């Protein structure tokens, strides 16, 4: 079967750095994406990794290790507005559908 | 605002009924995706259409069907509704036929409540 594992909840302090991990077991792998979803809102795309390594976009970075079937999202200089759920999603083969993790709720404290 | 529109925003109906959810993709996008999100859960991919044709199928029940019209808007039909169908239904669109680099842009969702 296909599965993605990510922590259900992470708590951090405003201004700090937090890492949200995602491990996957899928029959194929084309890439790993990250999406942010605020309560009651729609998911919005943050980043994707098709190759091993770190991709940086402002305060957010995403890392992938295909040999370890593992990736993470790194959020720096946390702001209260970063409080949201973060989903990793894997495209496992050429039929284009994304397999989604259950999401990590990020709680930020002042 | 992603540019993807969904109607209605909220829908309350009874078990056994049938409803239709509508989605208009961003201008220029050829693909439409439908997702179901139950309370505090991740997204379940239902189905994708590309330029009017079904492209990929996920965990879509037989009671559910979808189509994409020549103007590229899409409708998701849910029939013989059950209590467990209560969820947020998202539509997303992308420029091309899919792929990890083909970013999906999500609409605001339709919240369906089945009583």
């Amino acid at each position: 079967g296909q599965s993605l594992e990510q922590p259900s909840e992470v708590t951090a302090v405003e201004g700090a750095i937090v890492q949200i991990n995602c491990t996957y077991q899928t029959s194929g792998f084309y890439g790993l994406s990250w999406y942010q979803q605020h309560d009651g809102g729609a998911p919005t795309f943050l980043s994707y990794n098709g190759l091993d390594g770190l991709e940086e976009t402002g305060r957010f970075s995403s890392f992938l290790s295909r040999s370890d079937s593992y990736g993470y999202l790194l959020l720096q200089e946390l702001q209260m507005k970063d409080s949201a759920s973060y989903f990793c999603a894997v495209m496992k083969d050429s039929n284009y559908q994304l397999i989604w993790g259950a999401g990590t709720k990020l709680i930020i404290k002042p | 605002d992603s540019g993807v529109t969904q109607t209605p925003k909220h829908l309350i109906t009874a078990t056994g009924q049938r409803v239709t959810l509508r989605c208009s993709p961003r201008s220029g996008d050829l693909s439409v995706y439908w997702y179901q999100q139950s309370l505090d859960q991740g997204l379940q991919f239902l189905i994708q259409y590309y330029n009017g044709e079904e492209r990929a199928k996920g965990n879509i029940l037989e009671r559910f069907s979808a189509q994409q019209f020549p103007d590229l808007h899409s409708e998701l039909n849910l029939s013989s509704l059950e209590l467990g169908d209560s969820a947020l239904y998202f539509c997303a669109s992308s420029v091309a036929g899919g792929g990890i680099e083909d970013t999906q842009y999500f609409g605001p969702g339709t919240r369906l409540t089945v009583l």
Side-chain angles (χ1 to χ4, degrees), chain B residues 60-106:
Chain B
I60 187 166
L61 299 172
E62 283 192 18
R63 299 184 286 109
F64 296 0
S65 65
Q67 55 184 329
Q68 186 179 30
F69 295 87
D71 67 352
L72 300 177
H73 91 272
S74 177
E75 292 181 356
L76 178 68
N77 301 296
L78 315 175
S79 61
S80 302
L81 284 168
E82 301 175 359
L83 295 177
D85 297 328
S86 295
L88 256 176
Y89 290 84
F90 285 106
C91 163
S93 72
S94 69
V95 170
I100 197 68
E101 297 186 31
D102 194 22
T103 300
Q104 295 182 27
Y105 296 88
F106 283 76

Side-chain angles (χ1 to χ4, degrees), chain A:
Chain A
Q2 330 287 343
S3 70
L4 279 79
E5 297 286 333
Q6 49 180 134
S8 59
E9 191 175 289
V10 170
T11 302
V13 177
E14 191 176 14
I17 299 172
V18 72
Q19 178 174 312
I20 298 173
N21 298 321
C22 174
T23 57
Y24 57 88
Q25 274 190 316
T26 56
S27 54
F29 181 84
Y30 273 46
L32 179 72
S33 292
W34 288 93
Y35 283 77
Q36 178 193 60
Q37 185 180 29
H38 287 98
D39 276 348
T44 55
F45 172 79
L46 290 177
S47 70
Y48 82 91
N49 296 73
L51 301 173
D52 288 355
L54 191 68
E55 295 283 340
E56 297 179 75
T57 310
R59 294 187 298 114
F60 293 2
S61 304
S62 58
F63 171 82
L64 174 66
S65 168
R66 287 175 297 171
S67 60
D68 295 322
S69 298
Y70 164 74
Y72 65 72
L73 180 70
L74 191 74
L75 297 85
Q76 302 182 73
E77 299 171 20
L78 284 172
Q79 302 174 11
M80 297 305 292
K81 67 178 182 179
D82 298 329
S83 295
S85 290
Y86 292 84
F87 294 89
C88 59
V90 163
M91 184 158 293
K92 68 176 182 73
D93 55 33
S94 60
N95 74 359
Y96 306 113
Q97 62 172 286
L98 288 172
I99 310 296
W100 294 73
T104 298
K105 188 177 179 93
L106 175 60
I107 298 169
I108 300 174
K109 298 187 173 178

Side-chain angles (χ1 to χ4, degrees), chain B residues 25 29-32 47-56 66-74 96-97:
Chain B
D29 283 2
L30 298 179
S31 275
V32 169
I47 198 164
Q48 177 201 358
Y49 279 83
Y50 173 68
N51 207 18
E53 300 288 327
E54 182 183 304
R55 185 70 173 239
Q67 55 184 329
Q68 186 179 30
F69 295 87
D71 67 352
L72 300 177
H73 91 272
S74 177

